Amino acid sequence: MHSHLNDMANHKSALKRIRQNEVRRLRNRYYHKTARTAMKVLRNEENKAAATEQLPKVIALLDKLAKKNIIHKNKAANLKSKLTKHVNKLA
C-alpha cells in the first residue's frame, strides 16, 4: 500500500480522506479486474450450456460495478449486450 501520508496535508480529516481513497482505489481495482477476468473466461467459453450458466453471474458483476460507479452504466449495458450476443451465437 502506498503511503501518501507524508507528502501531503497535515489536517486530520485530509489524512483520513487519503487513507480512505487509497483503500477504495484498491478495492475498486480488485472488483474491476475480477469482472474483466470473468468476461474473458465467458468469451473463451465454447460450450453453450456452460456459457449460458456463466452469463447471469457476469451480468450481475457488471451491474454491481455500474451501481458503484466503477464503470459507466452505458458501458455496462454495452458489455452485457455484447456478451449476451456472444452466448446466443454459440452453437
Side-chain angles (χ1 to χ4, degrees):
M1 186 167 142
H2 307 292
S3 182
H4 294 302
L5 301 181
N6 320 341
D7 57 341
M8 286 185 75
N10 292 321
H11 287 286
K12 218 170 176 180
S13 60
L15 293 174
K16 179 176 178 180
R17 178 62 66 198
I18 292 163
R19 289 196 306 269
Q20 285 177 329
N21 287 342
E22 181 66 9
V23 167
R24 290 191 182 130
R25 183 179 74 86
L26 294 172
R27 189 181 299 140
N28 288 344
R29 202 168 71 173
Y30 169 76
Y31 290 149
H32 199 174
K33 183 66 179 154
T34 308
R36 279 204 300 258
T37 309
M39 285 192 286
K40 192 172 167 184
V41 169
L42 179 57
R43 278 198 198 101
N44 294 334
E45 184 61 65
E46 301 293 324
N47 180 350
K48 175 132 187 168
T52 309
E53 197 207 322
Q54 281 173 11
L55 185 64
K57 293 174 186 153
V58 176
I59 285 179
L61 280 175
L62 289 170
D63 283 335
K64 277 184 196 137
L65 289 185
K67 188 175 180 213
K68 292 179 181 155
N69 269 328
I70 299 171
I71 60 174
H72 195 277
K73 65 180 188 358
N74 290 358
K75 181 183 174 81
N78 289 336
L79 287 169
K80 289 192 300 191
S81 159
K82 246 183 181 165
L83 290 167
T84 307
K85 271 184 177 167
H86 169 73
V87 170
N88 290 339
K89 217 164 52 181
L90 292 175

